[in-house]
Amino acid sequence: MEKLEKMRAYFESGATQSYEFRKAQLQKLKAAVVAHEQEIFDAVYKDLRKSKEECYITENGFFLTELSLAINKLNSWMKQESVRTNLLNFPSKSFIVSEPLGVVLIISPWNYPFNLMMTPLVGAIAAGNCVVMKPSELAPATEAVMKKIIESTFDKNYILYVVGDGATVVPELMNNFIFDHVMYTGSTAVGKIIYELAAKNLVPVTLELGGKSPCIVEADADIKVAAKRIAMAKFSNAGQTCVAPDYVLVQQSVKDELINEIKKAIVQFFEVDAQKTEAFGRIINERQFNRLEKYLSNGKILVGGKTDKADLYIEPTLLEINNINDAVMQAEIFGPILPIIGYTEKAAALAILKIHKNPLAFYIFTSSIKNEKKWLQAIPAGGGCVNNVTMHLSNHHLPFGGRGASGTGSYHGKFSFDTFSHKKSVLKTPTWLDPSVKYPPFKGRLGLFKKIFK
Ligand code: NAD
């Protein structure tokens, strides 16, 4: 833990605080990521069989957009914010200072292995912190290229890149060093472990977790458009997306039409045999493949269903489930299997939705404002879309995060900067006015105080 103590000393030297320093680090990071573009494409392809186009949109391109925004906006983000002062404190002035947190830990998963490690880093650097990065060991090629980028760009006292088995490395780090903040992206189960480790030392956390994100399709929706948007979100990255629609609840009267249109969309996106196209990804490892393959027996396969273990391939699949209590409806699917459930009464749909509280995302397809409002109010969720799927996370003006079981805190755009800053409240009072009424003894002033505090 000597390395971490050195980071603490580096942070406390104040070296990371100035605007010039932070901006220079962000610019260096940008240059390094651009210079390693091909290596990033190759690594992500190796880990997840993601095409370079999909990789760019969802990994390094996504990250670069966040990074460029931070470079452009850093000056205004760092400015202290003046706020009004109440009468009690007249003639003081009040302002909020965004203060760096210190030495922070960022832990990321394998499914968007570049994006989910590097995008939080932008906020942490912009906010003036020292950072320990712990990527997922389950995407080893991407883990290696990020290591190269980080270690060739930053001093180890400033940004430290730590690899290894999370179950060993993370507790070792958190039990032996008091971080100023921990940001974890990954499963809800490990999120609980991180939260417990952090609680011991009252370390604040941001938890970006998973869960079953439902999608409602009302009969008044544009079914063709809904089908395309659902299929793209569900089957990109072979369904291994935290905000992918986990299952679809569709009004019975348009169920067949929706199935037909999703089927057409799958062929349009991935051709008749998705296994042969560059556009369709693979399951990360055999363990996940085995877990997913079992779900295929939880219902009638309407579309797809083909698997190839040697290639870690599972075809884009639509499933008519047998029983709402089956395994496929209990846990987050996190693969290219989409259960489609018809409903006639909204109450029946609502009963299913209520089984898994606080999803990371909730999607509604409808052309009616009334329906939209009703569903938005009915289901508390981290975020979501109306007539779209997953795209809310691509707008940096929106905070991205879960609630309850799907997470706590948020990031993206300025929200990332805020996540890694402490909002320090400062009241500045001049000395030229110093009325004695403010000082004890207070006896006899109750009437005055009642006029002020009411
Ligand atoms: P993972 O297994 O790669 O684990 C994530 C990180 O936790 C890794 O760095 C790993 O080393 C570490 N880790 C694993 N076990 C640990 C332990 N016992 N103690 C401490 N650290 C440990 O990834 P995963 O958890 O399988 O990721 C998939 C999940 O992440 C899904 O549930 C998905 O929905 C969720 N996810 C959420 C978001 C989001 O933004 N909310 C984004 C992507 C993925």
Side-chain angles (χ1 to χ4, degrees), residues 227-290:
K228 279 195 286 184
R229 293 180 185 174
I230 291 169
M232 183 171 85
K234 178 70 184 188
F235 299 119
S236 63
N237 206 28
Q240 300 162 113
T241 302
C242 55
V243 283
D246 190 89
Y247 61 95
V248 171
L249 281 163
V250 54
Q251 271 195 336
Q252 198 64 42
S253 58
V254 291
K255 185 178 163 201
D256 289 344
E257 188 188 350
L258 181 72
I259 291 168
N260 242 335
E261 290 297 333
I262 295 183
K263 194 173 170 179
K264 277 197 232 163
I266 291 171
V267 175
Q268 187 191 332
F269 301 161
F270 310 113
E271 301 173 26
V272 179
D273 187 352
Q275 193 171 10
K276 292 199 178 121
T277 68
E278 275 290 296
F280 190 70
R282 293 297 183 269
I283 306 306
I284 186 77
N285 55 30
E286 216 173 283
R287 193 171 143 244
Q288 294 293 333
F289 178 93
N290 293 338

Side-chain angles (χ1 to χ4, degrees), residues 10-297:
Y10 186 68
F11 175 76
E12 283 176 1
S13 76
T16 65
Q17 302 248 354
S18 74
Y19 166 73
E20 289 72 24
F21 177 87
R22 301 184 202 188
K23 188 167 178 186
Q25 306 315 307
L26 293 170
Q27 283 169 329
K28 272 191 339 192
L29 183 58
K30 186 170 183 175
V33 168
V34 170
H36 289 81
E37 182 179 271
Q38 190 57 49
E39 282 174 72
I40 297 165
F41 287 153
D42 293 344
V44 175
Y45 185 82
K46 204 164 171 199
D47 287 330
L48 286 151
R49 275 285 296 273
K50 219 185 269 194
S51 71
K52 61 175 183 290
E53 290 80 7
E54 190 180 334
C55 178
Y56 193 78
I57 300 168
T58 63
E59 305 269 9
N60 43 334
F62 185 100
F63 158 80
L64 284 172
T65 310
E66 287 274 330
L67 183 57
S68 303
L69 180 83
I71 292 171
N72 293 333
K73 298 282 180 190
L74 185 63
N75 203 11
S76 67
W77 291 353
M78 282 178 69
K79 282 208 171 98
Q80 70 181 39
E81 186 193 343
S82 293
V83 294
R84 291 173 60 178
T85 301
N86 56 353
L87 189 61
L88 178 70
N89 287 297
F90 178 82
S92 305
K93 294 211 176 320
S94 305
F95 50 93
I96 302 166
V97 179
S98 290
E99 195 174 61
L101 298 176
V103 182
V104 303
L105 171 63
I106 304 176
I107 308 162
S108 65
W110 52 264
N111 64 326
Y112 288 86
F114 186 87
N115 181 346
L116 298 174
M117 179 82 274
M118 302 290 276
T119 301
L121 178 67
V122 174
I125 291 179
N129 299 284
C130 288
V131 189
V132 177
M133 302 168 73
K134 164 64 185 83
S136 174
E137 64 277 23
L138 301 181
T142 315
E143 181 193 68
V145 73
M146 290 191 294
K147 183 173 165 56
K148 195 170 156 193
I149 291 170
I150 295 299
E151 292 187 348
S152 63
T153 309
F154 299 115
D155 188 288
K156 283 198 168 96
N157 291 332
Y158 172 47
I159 312 275
L160 182 70
Y161 193 86
V162 178
V163 295
D165 169 27
T168 313
V169 170
V170 172
E172 215 171 87
L173 286 168
M174 291 181 71
N175 283 328
N176 291 298
F177 184 80
I178 302 181
F179 286 95
D180 296 293
H181 193 91
V182 175
M183 174 161 178
Y184 168 81
T185 306
S187 64
T188 299
V190 174
K192 287 181 187 171
I193 297 173
I194 304 293
Y195 211 172
E196 275 189 26
L197 285 168
K200 277 194 244 171
N201 290 310
L202 293 178
V203 173
V205 292
T206 302
L207 301 172
E208 298 282 342
L209 310 177
K212 286 181 96 60
S213 297
C215 179
I216 288 279
V217 181
E218 288 269 355
D220 62 12
D222 183 325
I223 301 298
K224 258 194 189 142
V225 171
K228 279 195 286 184
R229 293 180 185 174
I230 291 169
M232 183 171 85
K234 178 70 184 188
F235 299 119
S236 63
N237 206 28
Q240 300 162 113
T241 302
C242 55
V243 283
D246 190 89
Y247 61 95
V248 171
L249 281 163
V250 54
Q251 271 195 336
Q252 198 64 42
S253 58
V254 291
K255 185 178 163 201
D256 289 344
E257 188 188 350
L258 181 72
I259 291 168
N260 242 335
E261 290 297 333
I262 295 183
K263 194 173 170 179
K264 277 197 232 163
I266 291 171
V267 175
Q268 187 191 332
F269 301 161
F270 310 113
E271 301 173 26
V272 179
D273 187 352
Q275 193 171 10
K276 292 199 178 121
T277 68
E278 275 290 296
F280 190 70
R282 293 297 183 269
I283 306 306
I284 186 77
N285 55 30
E286 216 173 283
R287 193 171 143 244
Q288 294 293 333
F289 178 93
N290 293 338
R291 180 183 65 83
L292 288 164
E293 200 181 31
K294 284 193 200 127
Y295 291 152
L296 296 173
S297 60

Side-chain angles (χ1 to χ4, degrees), residues 349-364:
L350 209 53
I352 295 173
L353 292 169
K354 296 272 183 190
I355 297 172
H356 301 282
K357 270 180 73 181
N358 294 328
L360 181 58
F362 178 57
Y363 305 114
I364 310 146

Side-chain angles (χ1 to χ4, degrees), residues 413-426:
K414 166 93 170 11
F415 302 101
S416 299
F417 176 85
D418 290 340
T419 284
F420 288 104
S421 302
H422 171 70
K423 301 293 173 192
K424 185 154 92 179
S425 301
V426 183

